[in-house]
Amino acid sequence: MNFRKSFSILLIVALFAGVAAWGTTFAESPVHDPLSPTKENASSLIVGVPFEDVGNVLDAGVINVVAGVNDSGLTPSANIYYSQTKDNAGTPEKNDQYGLAVASGDFDHNGLNDIAIGVPGEDNRMGAIDVIFFHDDGSSLQAIIRENYWLKQNAHAGDEFGSTLVAGDFNGDGLDDLAVGAPGYNHNAGAVLVLHGDEGETLMDYDAFFGTNQELFGYALARADFDADGINDLAVGCPNADVGILTTIRSGKVRILYGPLDAAFVRHQDWTQSATGQGVSEEGDAFGETLVTGDFNGDGRADLAIGVPNEDRGNVQNTGAVNVLYNNQHDLSKTGAKVWFMGAAQKNKFTGISLAVGDFDGDDSDDLVIGSPYEDSATVEDAGRVDVIWGTPTEMGITTFFPPNDRVEYMGYALAGVNLTGHNHDDLVIGAPGYSSPGHTHDGAIAVSYGGPSGLNGYLQIVTQNELAQVAAEDSDYFGYALTALPPAHPKNYLQYAPMIRR
């Protein structure tokens, strides 16, 4: 099973249908009551498992929230999980893929982070999102929000609303908003809806932004305050965008929408690979398929890393690359831009199909994490690898993680920097959804390397669903497909990056 994403929505649907045919039936235990909010500094980890069966419903999907504990780190036995089986969360249906994308933000302005879950398979792939609102008394409310509620005209099957998610204050009112990608909208032109937070837990108000010409606008999302005006800006990946002048060149682009976001008028800036000065826009590069933001050179301003997983290296096809744009203290600029090729060239390696960022050594410079989940090892096809580029003013030093054993496949398909210990640094979480535990095939796993003053310790704590409370591993669950952090309280620094969101 190869998770390589296609730029054809029809091919994506066919891929998911193939996974469903392999699924097994397992009666899940009842959903746990939510953990009470604590004053700990450690974040929890949200793991999307979109191919998990719910009862006898194949690939309906669940999420697991695994607790991080001060000084102890990730604690697999302290987990809760959710599906579309509670409150007004909708009904689990075959191929809903609840959890294909996950994000967290304080959407109701009560000081606690809530969870947004993408359900792009809902309603014949029209799509939806679920939001779990957490309350001070330890209770929660899960509500479903469907695309046809927001786009009452022209919404249709195949829009895949909820494929990508990112939270941020995009209108400057002090409340978190939720940006939701629908890359299949209008025959793959794509759309992004920014649902504005409110204290009534409704996300009623919204602004909509649209792509054109099958560019898959909204296929990737990231947020940062690039122009330092105190309002988050939104980076939108359009990996099938035509950047040609005389001929069609679907190399991809990234559009920066500058806050405050207003559908009537918003300042924007477009980037192509040629515009970075590091590489040339070529047919099928998939520039902008993944995005992540962070302060990679320690100057206090937000930079942007752009995945180009179909980039060729010489005559080696689809080895992949990552472009980095730095901030010139006013905006993103090609000055000092870089391109990274990780390891040896290998066909269909797809370096950059996942990205993440975190300050793993606590030096106030963000470190860039690059996934190459289809790199072959000596014994396993698509074993994967993960590279960490250490952020300093000169960006020197790379740490590489290889699969620790032959059970691992697709290592690095999802990535996240999460503070799991409450210390003054982040920890690295690596998704390996193709991992096969004893007696299972592709039930999936996550691996954790803890940070510290000297950087990541190199040891990988392997966690499968077998270690989680009241959850059982099944074949083709692909646990670890999507990852993000759930901080215990609302973060104060909105120059912070958004953790990597998989789709």
Side-chain angles (χ1 to χ4, degrees), residues 24-42:
T24 59
T25 301
F26 174 74
E28 295 287 2
S29 300
V31 176
H32 296 207
D33 290 329
L35 297 173
S36 297
T38 72
K39 295 183 179 180
E40 292 203 346
N41 298 321

Side-chain angles (χ1 to χ4, degrees), residues 245-424:
I245 298 176
L246 299 178
T247 60
T248 298
I249 304 176
R250 292 197 176 278
S251 174
K253 72 177 183 183
V254 175
R255 172 160 289 187
I256 311 297
L257 301 175
Y258 288 92
L261 297 190
D262 183 340
F265 174 80
V266 64
R267 180 171 72 94
H268 72 266
Q269 179 185 37
D270 287 345
W271 286 94
T272 66
Q273 191 175 28
S274 291
T276 70
Q278 299 293 321
V280 177
S281 298
E282 300 166 310
E283 182 75 24
D285 276 350
F287 179 86
E289 184 170 327
T290 51
L291 303 169
V292 76
T293 63
D295 179 11
F296 302 124
N297 56 5
D299 66 354
R301 298 295 296 272
D303 311 310
L304 177 66
I306 303 166
V308 198
N310 288 14
E311 177 78 5
D312 298 340
R313 190 171 176 183
N315 61 356
V316 182
Q317 295 181 332
N318 300 330
T319 191
V322 176
N323 284 94
V324 179
L325 293 170
Y326 295 93
N327 204 302
N328 64 4
Q329 299 300 309
H330 301 286
D331 214 332
L332 293 175
S333 168
K334 71 176 184 179
T335 301
K338 292 182 180 179
V339 62
W340 293 96
F341 295 90
M342 308 314 303
Q346 184 184 103
K347 184 178 181 180
N348 296 333
K349 179 177 171 179
F350 301 117
T351 290
I353 199 173
S354 58
L355 299 171
V357 64
D359 182 4
F360 304 114
D361 53 6
D363 67 352
D364 295 326
S365 292
D366 286 325
D367 311 307
L368 175 62
V369 191
I370 299 174
S372 303
Y374 300 103
E375 178 168 299
D376 299 337
S377 71
T379 56
V380 177
E381 183 179 1
D382 297 334
R385 70 180 273 164
V386 173
D387 292 281
V388 181
I389 301 173
W390 294 96
T392 69
T394 55
E395 268 191 353
M396 297 298 292
I398 298 175
T399 297
T400 301
F401 291 88
F402 295 102
N405 57 57
D406 288 351
R407 294 186 177 278
V408 176
E409 291 180 62
Y410 313 133
M411 176 177 170
Y413 187 81
L415 302 164
V418 184
N419 186 341
L420 295 169
T421 63
H423 296 169
N424 188 34

Side-chain angles (χ1 to χ4, degrees), residues 101-105 107 116-118 129 162-170 176-181 192-195 218 220-224 232-236 261 291-293 484 494 496-502:
V102 288
S104 66
F107 306 120
I117 305 108
I129 59 169
S163 292
T164 48
L165 303 169
V166 71
D169 180 8
F170 298 114
D176 278 349
D177 310 309
L178 179 66
V180 186
V192 174
L193 271 67
V194 178
L195 312 181
L221 299 171
R223 69 129 201 275
N232 283 152
D233 311 310
L234 182 64
V236 182
L261 297 190
L291 303 169
V292 76
T293 63
T484 197
Y494 257 112
Q496 284 280 7
Y497 54 85
M500 178 63 201
I501 307 300
R502 290 297 309 148

Side-chain angles (χ1 to χ4, degrees), residues 73-302:
L74 193 70
T75 306
S77 60
N79 77 290
I80 58 178
Y81 72 90
Y82 297 88
S83 65
Q84 288 186 294
T85 56
K86 188 177 181 181
D87 301 323
N88 300 310
T91 301
E93 298 168 311
K94 183 178 179 181
N95 298 330
D96 272 354
Q97 280 120 27
Y98 173 99
L100 196 73
V102 288
S104 66
D106 181 12
F107 306 120
D108 55 2
H109 205 223
N110 68 351
L112 298 175
N113 275 290
D114 310 307
I115 302 175
I117 305 108
V119 197
E122 181 82 16
D123 289 345
N124 197 22
R125 305 207 68 76
M126 182 181 292
I129 59 169
D130 274 30
V131 179
I132 303 170
F133 295 98
F134 289 102
H135 304 146
D136 289 333
D137 62 2
S139 65
S140 66
L141 171 69
Q142 183 173 185
I144 189 169
I145 300 172
R146 302 175 189 272
E147 181 189 21
N148 57 356
Y149 183 76
W150 307 102
L151 293 180
K152 293 183 179 179
Q153 63 273 7
N154 302 322
H156 59 277
D159 286 350
E160 296 196 320
F161 178 77
S163 292
T164 48
L165 303 169
V166 71
D169 180 8
F170 298 114
N171 59 1
D173 66 355
L175 278 71
D176 278 349
D177 310 309
L178 179 66
V180 186
Y185 177 79
N186 191 20
H187 306 289
N188 300 343
V192 174
L193 271 67
V194 178
L195 312 181
H196 296 297
D198 59 70
E199 297 182 3
E201 297 184 345
T202 62
L203 297 173
M204 288 289 292
D205 190 24
Y206 72 99
D207 285 289
F209 305 88
F210 303 98
T212 61
N213 190 22
Q214 301 177 33
E215 67 183 4
L216 294 176
F217 183 85
Y219 198 89
L221 299 171
R223 69 129 201 275
D225 184 6
F226 294 116
D227 54 3
D229 65 352
I231 302 173
N232 283 152
D233 311 310
L234 182 64
V236 182
C238 314
N240 200 43
D242 177 14
V243 301
I245 298 176
L246 299 178
T247 60
T248 298
I249 304 176
R250 292 197 176 278
S251 174
K253 72 177 183 183
V254 175
R255 172 160 289 187
I256 311 297
L257 301 175
Y258 288 92
L261 297 190
D262 183 340
F265 174 80
V266 64
R267 180 171 72 94
H268 72 266
Q269 179 185 37
D270 287 345
W271 286 94
T272 66
Q273 191 175 28
S274 291
T276 70
Q278 299 293 321
V280 177
S281 298
E282 300 166 310
E283 182 75 24
D285 276 350
F287 179 86
E289 184 170 327
T290 51
L291 303 169
V292 76
T293 63
D295 179 11
F296 302 124
N297 56 5
D299 66 354
R301 298 295 296 272

